[in-house]
């Protein structure tokens, strides 16, 4: 989920102030759709609830009919110029999956080498690992959309396209999974702050031996909180978010790092939120239990690799647009039955429910796209 830019660093939070919609709408974006006050935890790349996204689109459609559209289009993304020299993940991504807290229960392994747990009632642990093992395999073209985005000295702030000579997000041939770790040294907090989640990511960086800025340039730490917890008070407000350690608007404050900048996400056990976070969003019965789980995992990953240190990468900066402040996946969240809507995407190791991402070069949400570079 993208948080709206609230600081110079521009967190990717879906915050009311940065989207430019009415107060009631902005509140709805982070909630179950009711006009509540905007949540305190408006993070970057925040994936809204299903109802929140629907409320936003209804208002956006109404407003776009009454206002002139920018020449580039209301959903066009542009480059933020980078933060600490980082815009996109222009190296092969390395995704680390961290099971945060002893509440996950007893650890085992399945036939595919995935960590499994006794307190995982919806069986989300193994698919989370398989998903990242599958990205970039089997000729999948979901990853192609993100390869059009770039960073580096050849890209000026405000650019809406990339030259072939710029440093692009690469196609992740062979998968992006780099490791999984069960941190059962203590219980996960009942409602971990953004700072605590970042501290857990820092702990994971040391665990995996990523102790330099260079080793974390393409690293992404997915912090999976256990069933029954409420990390960053997500319940009823949103479904997941991503960020980086230097964001001062993290609840609890930025995370001091001795390993350079690092990217991480808050991945709640959002099956606990039911249909609000996508249970049975696309598929019925038990086949759809993990629809929202895999969609949010894919959503935050696609935003991290295109806006690694938010909002130094690619976000919506179209003045007056209802989408202003959003990232690529935010603009396409919780769509189905339309171009670029959610679908069951086949990888080399299985099929996973994913959503599309915004494609500047085709001006639509895209579930599939040819590799650009």
């Amino acid at each position: 989920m993208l948080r709206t830019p609230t600081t110079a660093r521009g967190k990717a939070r879906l915050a009311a102030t940065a989207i430019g919609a009415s107060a009631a709408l902005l509140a709805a974006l982070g909630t179950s759709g009711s006009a509540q006050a905007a949540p305190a935890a408006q993070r970057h790349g925040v994936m809204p609830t299903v109802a929140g996204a629907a409320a936003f689109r209804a208002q956006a459609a109404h407003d776009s009919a009454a206002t002139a559209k920018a020449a580039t289009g209301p959903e066009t993304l542009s480059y933020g110029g980078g933060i600490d020299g980082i815009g996109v993940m222009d190296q092969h991504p390395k995704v680390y999956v961290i099971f945060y807290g002893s509440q996950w229960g007893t650890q085992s392994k399945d036939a595919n080498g995935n960590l499994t747990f006794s307190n995982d009632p919806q069986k989300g642990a193994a698919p989370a690992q398989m998903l990242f093992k599958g990205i970039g395999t089997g000729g999948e073209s979901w990853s192609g959309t993100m390869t059009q985005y770039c960073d580096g000295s050849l890209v000026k702030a405000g650019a809406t396209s990339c030259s072939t000579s710029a440093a692009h997000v690469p196609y992740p041939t062979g998968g992006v999974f780099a490791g999984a770790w069960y941190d059962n040294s203590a219980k996960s907090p009942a409602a971990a702050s953004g700072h605590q989640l970042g501290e857990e990511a820092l702990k994971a960086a040391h665990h995996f031996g990523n102790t330099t800025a260079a080793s974390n340039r393409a690293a992404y730490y997915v912090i999976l909180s256990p069933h029954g917890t409420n990390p960053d008070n997500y319940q009823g407000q949103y479904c997941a978010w991503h960020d980086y350690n230097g964001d001062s608007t993290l609840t609890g404050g930025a995370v001091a790092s001795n390993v350079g900048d690092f990217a991480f996400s808050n991945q709640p056990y959002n099956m606990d939120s039911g249909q609000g976070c996508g249970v049975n969003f696309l598929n019925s019965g038990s086949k759809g239990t993990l629809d929202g789980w895999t969609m949010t995992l894919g959503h935050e990953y696609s935003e991290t690799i295109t806006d690694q240190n938010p909002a130094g990468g690619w976000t919506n900066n179209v003045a007056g647009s209802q989408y202003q402040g959003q990232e690529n996946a935010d603009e396409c969240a919780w769509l189905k039955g339309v171009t670029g809507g959610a679908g069951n995407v086949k990888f080399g190791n299985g099929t996973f429910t994913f959503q599309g991402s915004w494609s500047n070069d085709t001006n639509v949400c895209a579930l599939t796209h040819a590799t650009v570079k």
Side-chain angles (χ1 to χ4, degrees):
M1 167 182 185
L2 175 82
R3 308 172 189 178
T4 54
T6 56
T7 68
R9 287 192 165 106
K11 283 199 156 192
R13 300 181 180 181
L14 277 180
T17 55
I19 294 173
S22 67
L25 170 63
L26 292 167
L29 273 170
T31 69
S32 59
S34 59
Q36 302 175 30
Q42 299 279 358
R43 304 277 174 252
H44 288 291
V46 171
M47 189 170 184
T49 60
V50 175
F56 170 78
R57 288 199 174 90
Q59 184 66 39
H62 175 271
D63 290 353
S64 65
T67 59
K69 294 184 179 180
T72 53
E75 293 176 85
T76 299
L77 306 179
S78 59
Y79 182 55
I83 293 175
D84 297 338
I86 298 171
V88 305
M89 199 169 281
D90 57 19
Q91 304 172 22
H92 191 107
K94 301 180 298 181
V95 179
Y96 299 90
V97 178
I98 294 88
F99 296 93
Y100 178 30
S102 59
Q103 300 99 311
W104 280 97
T106 303
Q107 174 187 303
S108 301
K109 282 191 177 181
D110 67 13
N112 293 309
N114 300 305
L115 302 187
T116 59
F117 301 94
S118 60
N119 188 28
D120 178 12
Q122 304 303 333
K123 308 302 180 187
Q129 296 161 82
M130 290 295 286
L131 179 158
F132 291 117
K133 291 177 181 179
I135 289 174
T137 68
E140 60 91 359
S141 55
W142 176 82
S143 294
T145 306
M146 281 65 78
T147 64
Q148 68 188 270
Y149 300 110
C150 62
D151 69 359
S153 61
L154 298 178
V155 191
K156 293 182 178 180
T160 58
S161 63
C162 297
S163 68
T164 56
S165 55
H168 285 240
V169 173
Y171 183 84
T173 303
V176 298
F177 180 79
W181 176 44
Y182 179 25
D183 182 7
N184 62 350
S185 59
K187 282 189 173 184
S188 174
S193 67
H195 181 90
Q196 288 175 309
L197 294 165
E199 288 283 3
E200 180 66 10
L202 177 60
K203 187 177 179 181
H206 282 279
H207 172 83
F208 287 109
N210 295 332
T211 57
T212 66
S215 61
N216 280 298
R217 179 60 178 87
Y220 170 43
Y221 302 97
V222 182
I223 309 301
L224 291 87
S225 294
H227 165 60
T229 59
N230 190 21
D232 208 29
N233 295 301
Y234 87 96
Q235 284 279 10
Q237 300 193 74
Y238 58 87
C239 300
W241 53 253
H242 78 95
D243 210 345
Y244 84 113
N245 64 288
D247 188 348
S248 61
T249 67
L250 284 168
T251 50
V255 178
S257 172
N258 57 3
V259 300
D261 288 355
F262 58 86
F264 70 100
S265 64
N266 170 20
Q267 180 66 33
Y269 198 86
N270 56 29
M271 291 79 78
D272 287 349
S273 287
Q275 291 184 343
C277 283
V279 171
N280 294 124
F281 181 75
L282 189 66
N283 301 290
S284 61
S286 60
K287 291 184 178 180
T289 299
L290 298 181
D291 281 359
W293 176 247
T294 57
M295 287 174 70
T296 51
L297 286 163
H299 176 116
E300 302 305 336
Y301 164 79
S302 73
E303 292 183 338
T304 297
I305 62 175
T306 57
D307 188 25
Q308 187 172 344
N309 282 9
W314 291 77
T315 63
N316 189 309
N317 295 291
V318 179
S321 171
Q322 291 290 343
Y323 298 91
Q324 189 175 8
Q326 294 191 16
E327 294 170 316
N328 60 319
D330 295 324
E331 296 193 341
C332 305
W334 304 122
L335 293 175
K336 62 179 174 181
V338 298
T339 300
N344 295 316
V345 178
K346 186 177 181 180
F347 295 155
N349 64 349
T351 299
F352 302 87
T353 306
F354 266 34
Q355 67 158 86
S357 294
W358 182 258
S359 170
N360 265 11
D361 65 7
T362 54
N363 202 40
V364 292
C365 290
L367 188 63
T368 61
H369 191 289
T371 299
V372 172
K373 182 180 178 183

